[in-house]
Amino acid sequence: MGRTPIAALPESTRRTTADPYGRHRPPPPPPYQFYKKWFPWLVPLIIIVNIVLFISAMYINDCPSHSGKCIGADFLGPFAFQSTRENPLLGPSAATLLEIGALQVGKVVDDHQVWRLLTCMWLHAGAFHLLANMLSLLFVGIRMEQEFGFLRIGLLYVIAGVGGSVSSALFVRTTISVGASGALFGLLGAMLSELLINWTIYEKKMESLTSLIFIIIVNLAVGILPHVDNFAHLGGFVTGFLLGFILLIRPQFSYIKNKTSPYRYSNPSKSKYKTYQYILLVLSLAVLIAGLSTGLTLLLDGVNGNDHCSWCHYLSCVPTPLWSCQARCSSSQFENQLNLTCLDNNRSKFYLLGNHTTTAAIQRMCGELCHGG
């Protein structure tokens, strides 16, 4: 006893819709989701890998075995942090970072350790550095992976990180470099280019563009502070911006509607992409290949970007009355022996001076002493 469910009725008794002429048509299809949503698993995995590598770096560092001044040695044991005077970000020593893969120009150029361009983006200078980068990746990366999938976002993250490393190595010559900032700025750059190349499918275009540009400007402005590698930020951003035109291009709505419509009322010859999308894709691909190839060639040839761009250092640090962009050292000299003491961390070292040692060379020595290079 009871009512028979509608779905169980015989085919002949089911209702169909009729047009004004009495002809029967099948019911309309359910609403179609134009762009597939992906389950985000790669970005959380990247975050976990970065955390595991940081913990491993702290274990390798083993501060209590190599230094008498450690933070948290009583309860952290071998995972204790270096003193804040040596590493204010609460992390390992610069020597440990260099040992496990940090970017250092001399290692890349002289020892041909090109792999450091990739490994440095998976290391972090300290707990604060790791926390800031992983929170940024969580908020930006999850949404992008949901929209575009793990393959495209994974390629974007890694290639943008390498682009940031190449840019950093060309201009930052006296310090080591670690961190995922280049890859993160690559994601920001890709968000901007994705908005531009898919301009016609967005409703609130100018509102989205204005808010995104504001976020990018604020983040890049932080790079003018001392001891921040803005060249990695800029290199990663430009690389990601170009990759966005290549990897994040979307088909037109009209093309998708025609492809999914059961009636095929739309123009069957409708192009999948607009002409301007094809143009931006081809130009970006050409510029990206040329830029990365040229940058890598110049780096391996030992070219110092600062020698060919006298103002480029202002892109990474702008001196103000509140801070100086150069490392500060006190010095004393006896014959050809120079003793430098970094005023930031009180580290000292003796150097043998040659007959043609310049002031710029001494400043580089000071930079290496202060930043652990």
Side-chain angles (χ1 to χ4, degrees), residues 14-82:
R14 295 182 190 174
R15 289 191 175 184
T16 57
T17 58
D19 60 19
Y21 301 100
R23 293 174 299 190
H24 293 281
R25 296 183 301 173
Y32 180 77
Q33 186 174 353
F34 289 104
Y35 299 118
K36 177 182 178 181
K37 291 289 185 180
W38 299 76
F39 177 77
W41 61 267
L42 180 62
V43 169
L45 179 61
I46 291 175
I47 293 174
I48 293 173
V49 169
N50 276 274
I51 294 174
V52 170
L53 288 176
F54 178 72
I55 295 174
S56 301
M58 294 307 306
Y59 180 78
I60 295 172
N61 185 68
D62 193 6
C63 181
S65 298
H66 302 94
S67 175
K69 297 180 179 179
C70 303
I71 297 176
D74 293 337
F75 58 95
L76 292 177
F79 299 96
F81 303 116
Q82 297 291 135

Side-chain angles (χ1 to χ4, degrees), residues 32 34-35 250-261 264 266-274 277-278:
Y32 180 77
F34 289 104
Y35 299 118
R250 289 186 186 273
Q252 302 179 65
F253 269 134
S254 55
Y255 172 84
I256 297 178
K257 286 181 179 179
N258 176 67
K259 185 177 179 181
T260 58
S261 172
R264 304 289 180 181
S266 303
N267 181 7
S269 62
K270 192 72 175 179
S271 174
K272 186 174 184 179
Y273 302 109
K274 290 185 175 293
Q277 290 180 301
Y278 284 114

Side-chain angles (χ1 to χ4, degrees), residues 184-210:
L184 293 173
F185 272 84
L187 296 180
L188 287 178
M191 289 177 65
L192 178 59
S193 56
E194 188 272 328
L195 175 61
L196 296 176
I197 198 169
N198 300 319
W199 186 257
T200 57
I201 71 173
Y202 283 97
E203 294 181 355
K204 300 179 180 180
K205 300 177 176 62
M206 293 308 301
E207 180 180 334
S208 300
L209 181 62
T210 303

Side-chain angles (χ1 to χ4, degrees), residues 343-356:
L343 298 180
D344 295 330
N345 57 26
N346 288 332
R347 294 176 62 187
S348 298
K349 188 174 182 180
F350 283 94
Y351 297 87
L352 293 177
L353 301 181
N355 296 328
H356 304 288

